[in-house]
Amino acid sequence: MNDKTLLIMAELEDNNLKPVTFDLVAAALKMTGGATRSILMAVTGTSPDAAASEAASRTGIDVLAVTVTASITSDIRKQAAAFVAGEFAPSYILCPHSAEGTDYAPALAVRLNAACISAVSGVVIDVDGNLLFSRSICGGQFNALIKPATSPAVIMIQPGAFQVQAYEGTAGAVETTTFEAGPGALRMNGVEKSRETSSELDKAKVIVSAGRGIGEPGNLDAIRRFAALFPGSAVGGSRPLIDMGWLEYRHQVGITGATVSPSVYIACGISGSTQHIAGMNGSGYVIAINSDPNAAIFNYSDLCIVDDIMGFIEAFEDFIKNGEG
Ligand SMILES: Cc1cc2nc3c(=O)[nH]c(=O)nc-3n(C[C@H](O)[C@H](O)[C@H](O)COP(=O)(O)OP(=O)(O)OC[C@H]3O[C@@H](n4cnc5c(N)ncnc54)[C@H](O)[C@@H]3O)c2cc1C
């Protein structure tokens, strides 16, 4: 496993691969022009061997299963990643821009004295062959192209930003190692899972999502009525609505909520932050209704409707009822 210039840090839950790992693979392949040879994936956990074999066969990438002799915390993840980086000296270390990734990747960069680029949603190769990483800034109004000035550089990949392709070729090689974790600065006292049940977002054919643009919680009734017009639909929401207690967490779409891929996604009064887009980018057909013609959500939409959301729903209901709007 020599000549590995690009290290992917897989993300696991209960020693199983999380889907975001394959987002990292998609980004890595974009960086190498599709070649797997220079890529190494580290699968780190208390019992990572099965996940490592799965990763190797599903991607064709060589995988290092790193068994960690301690309960996993963000501090231990950082230590293990630094250990693997020390062995292979990669130029780029890809971590997910997930809740877990944001917990250790910046600290890893500090540990390695490396640049850290967060929320990366695109890769560009310039005329001189340099890799540039794009991420949105200013709430999605602009895109920045960034070239790291260090090697290694820690690149945090926005979940859902890269097109994941199925792989059916030869499996990559799997090697194993053990990482004797030092005393961590943190101690894990346990993980409590949410008791909330699913909101049907994962099964819905159509998702009607409400954002802060709906104005007040009472207007959710109109959103629910609007959603009910589409068979197999469910109601989603942007994070502010969950933070304000207007909707329960199980309805949240985005990087810290659900990742959804319905046939149709209807965004109602949602601005289109990268954190929201990360959760709905896999939708088949996106319709956005927003009163601001420059809203970032329109950059991700197939049908852009510039209108007041409540006025639009009222007119739509009239049209369904009376055939005119
Ligand atoms: C670590 C982190 C994680 C996050 N995770 C998530 C996540 O998982 N999901 C998520 O959604 N966000 C997440 N966020 C928050 C995210 O950054 C945005 O703040 C949020 O998505 C904005 O929600 P919004 O579009 O509903 O509100 P706003 O950004 O306030 O946008 C409201 C939109 O409504 C439009 N509008 C106003 N009035 C009307 C009207 N009458 N009719 C039609 N349109 C109207 C406005 O033009 C505007 O575009 C996260 C942020 C952080 C820092």
Side-chain angles (χ1 to χ4, degrees):
M1 290 195 182
N2 294 323
D3 301 331
K4 298 296 186 189
T5 55
L6 211 157
L7 172 64
I8 292 173
M9 298 305 299
E11 184 163 312
L12 270 65
E13 184 171 16
D14 298 332
N15 286 306
N16 295 312
L17 291 171
K18 286 180 77 173
V20 70
T21 301
F22 299 96
D23 292 349
L24 301 188
V25 172
L29 291 172
K30 186 91 196 278
M31 291 166 69
T32 62
T36 53
R37 217 179 127 83
S38 57
I39 307 173
L40 174 70
M41 183 191 295
V43 177
T44 303
T46 49
S47 183
D49 294 359
S53 298
E54 183 189 340
S57 63
R58 285 180 62 184
T59 64
I61 287 170
D62 293 343
V63 177
L64 184 66
V66 186
T67 302
V68 177
T69 59
S71 68
I72 309 263
T73 62
S74 56
D75 189 36
I76 299 297
R77 277 192 193 97
K78 175 194 73 182
Q79 288 187 30
F83 162 73
V84 180
E87 296 284 305
F88 291 91
S91 305
Y92 302 96
I93 304 169
L94 267 55
C95 303
H97 190 104
S98 57
E100 182 178 306
T102 49
D103 227 11
Y104 76 89
L108 172 67
V110 172
R111 169 86 165 243
L112 300 175
N113 208 12
C116 181
I117 308 176
S118 58
V120 168
S121 58
V123 173
V124 175
I125 301 173
D126 73 8
V127 284
D128 299 320
N130 297 307
L131 282 173
L132 308 178
F133 300 93
S134 75
R135 59 153 299 164
S136 75
I137 54 172
C138 302
Q141 296 289 325
F142 301 98
N143 231 12
L145 271 182
I146 306 168
K147 178 169 173 275
T150 64
S151 178
V154 175
I155 310 295
M156 298 174 67
I157 300 297
Q158 186 75 53
F162 291 83
Q163 195 77 43
V164 176
Q165 307 283 357
Y167 174 81
E168 285 171 0
T170 316
V174 179
E175 287 190 7
T176 58
T177 188
T178 300
F179 173 62
E180 304 281 348
L186 301 168
R187 197 182 68 227
M188 178 72 88
N189 275 343
V191 177
E192 194 175 329
K193 292 215 167 164
S194 165
R195 281 188 293 272
E196 288 177 340
T197 55
S198 152
S199 64
E200 309 287 313
L201 285 181
D202 48 346
K203 291 187 217 96
K205 298 251 181 310
V206 178
I207 294 178
V208 177
S209 268
R212 191 148 43 191
I214 68 165
E216 52 184 87
N219 287 338
L220 277 168
D221 289 343
I223 296 290
R224 291 192 183 98
R225 280 201 318 272
F226 186 37
L229 295 173
F230 306 97
S233 67
V235 170
S238 67
R239 178 162 159 176
L241 270 63
I242 281 75
D243 289 347
M244 291 186 292
W246 296 6
L247 280 173
E248 289 176 33
Y249 172 70
R250 63 198 163 94
H251 294 276
Q252 183 179 320
V253 174
I255 190 171
T256 46
T259 301
V260 298
S261 48
S263 304
V264 180
Y265 188 85
I266 308 178
C268 303
I270 292 177
S271 58
S273 68
T274 50
Q275 291 90 359
H276 188 84
I277 299 300
M280 47 64 74
N281 219 8
S283 304
Y285 192 85
V286 177
I287 302 169
I289 306 141
N290 197 303
S291 53
D292 175 4
N294 296 315
I297 188 80
F298 290 145
N299 296 329
Y300 306 91
S301 303
D302 301 289
L303 181 59
C304 309
I305 300 170
V306 180
D307 203 350
D308 166 65
I309 182 60
M310 288 307 133
F312 175 83
I313 291 177
E314 204 180 313
F316 193 86
E317 286 178 324
D318 277 354
F319 178 75
I320 296 290
K321 219 159 117 193
N322 308 319
E324 57 191 55

